[in-house]
Amino acid sequence: MNNIQEILAYNKSFVETKEYEKYTAGKFPTKKMVIITCMDTRLVEMLPKAMNLKNGDVKIIKNAGAIISQPFGSVMRSVLVAIYELGADEVLVVGHTECGMASLHAETMIGHMVERGVSEQVMSTLENSGIRLQKWLRGFDSVEEGVKHTVEVIKKHPLLPPTVPVHGMVIDSYTGELDLVADGYGQ
């Protein structure tokens, strides 16, 4: 049985036994917060448990490194939708210890792309079109600095209401301990 078959088999039982009932929630976040965090597998259950979050409490946006690299990209659009359409009035960026983005090297990743079948012609076309993969695929040197950078991108966004606090934290990937690195209330 492959992953998709396993998921569908489990889901059939989940629905039939009405397991979904304990997760029923509205679409508006009860804690009025939107969280941007990393897609790291260790955070799937750890982050909500460490923050005492339950289904329906917050909006969570996940990507590689909890980074907003494009001020007018999809992550920032999601933050603005959470604020203007879904009632969030606080933003929290949560990075984590031992983040893979801290050790991401564009050259290595580009090499992996070529190894897995992306042609040199495609790479050349992108480069000649002004897409700088070296910059786009760059990670960060420090998780704390990555979080602070994303906090600043959000705070300086021209469409963010000035009354919305933007916070930054780093969670320990093993213990769940949270470290506040940017206090949005002290803006």
Side-chain angles (χ1 to χ4, degrees):
M1 187 180 291
N2 64 37
N3 287 335
I4 297 301
Q5 290 169 332
E6 282 182 33
I7 289 169
L8 290 172
Y10 177 84
N11 179 256
K12 183 174 172 76
S13 172
F14 180 84
V15 173
E16 287 173 354
T17 59
K18 298 186 180 196
E19 286 292 313
Y20 58 85
E21 289 178 347
K22 61 184 166 191
Y23 302 106
T24 302
K27 71 177 185 175
F28 298 98
T30 58
K31 293 189 185 244
K32 299 184 180 266
M33 181 179 279
V34 58
I35 297 174
I36 300 101
T37 192
C38 187
M39 64 185 191
D40 191 284
T41 56
R42 296 169 289 184
L43 301 183
V44 171
E45 290 188 54
M46 171 81 80
L47 182 85
K49 298 273 192 244
M51 298 177 86
N52 192 32
L53 298 175
K54 298 184 183 35
N55 208 41
D57 282 350
V58 298
K59 294 295 183 183
I60 298 180
I61 303 164
K62 292 183 168 226
N63 70 1
I67 296 172
I68 294 182
S69 56
Q70 302 293 329
F72 286 91
S74 63
V75 176
M76 191 63 210
R77 179 181 58 222
S78 296
V79 169
L80 295 172
V81 167
I83 291 168
Y84 287 109
E85 298 296 321
L86 300 171
D89 57 17
E90 278 187 84
V91 180
L92 173 57
V93 179
V94 183
H96 67 94
T97 58
E98 299 181 7
C99 183
M101 288 299 286
S103 61
L104 181 69
H105 299 287
E107 305 82 30
T108 303
M109 190 162 171
I110 290 168
H112 292 314
M113 291 174 179
V114 171
E115 287 170 10
R116 292 193 64 176
V118 177
S119 72
E120 292 288 349
Q121 181 182 1
V122 166
M123 296 298 191
S124 177
T125 300
L126 291 172
E127 189 70 27
N128 291 329
S129 299
I131 297 169
R132 304 293 175 245
L133 291 177
Q134 296 286 339
K135 183 177 179 187
W136 185 62
L137 294 172
R138 179 183 56 203
F140 45 74
D141 295 328
S142 144
V143 174
E144 291 81 4
E145 291 307 312
V147 167
K148 289 176 184 178
H149 171 76
T150 294
V151 165
E152 287 303 310
V153 168
I154 298 167
K155 281 173 50 175
K156 292 178 180 176
H157 200 281
L159 299 177
L160 185 80
T163 57
V164 172
V166 183
H167 316 280
M169 292 183 181
V170 174
I171 186 170
D172 185 291
S173 300
Y174 295 103
T175 68
E177 181 178 3
L178 293 164
D179 180 29
L180 184 66
V181 297
D183 184 353
Y185 297 134
Q187 294 185 29

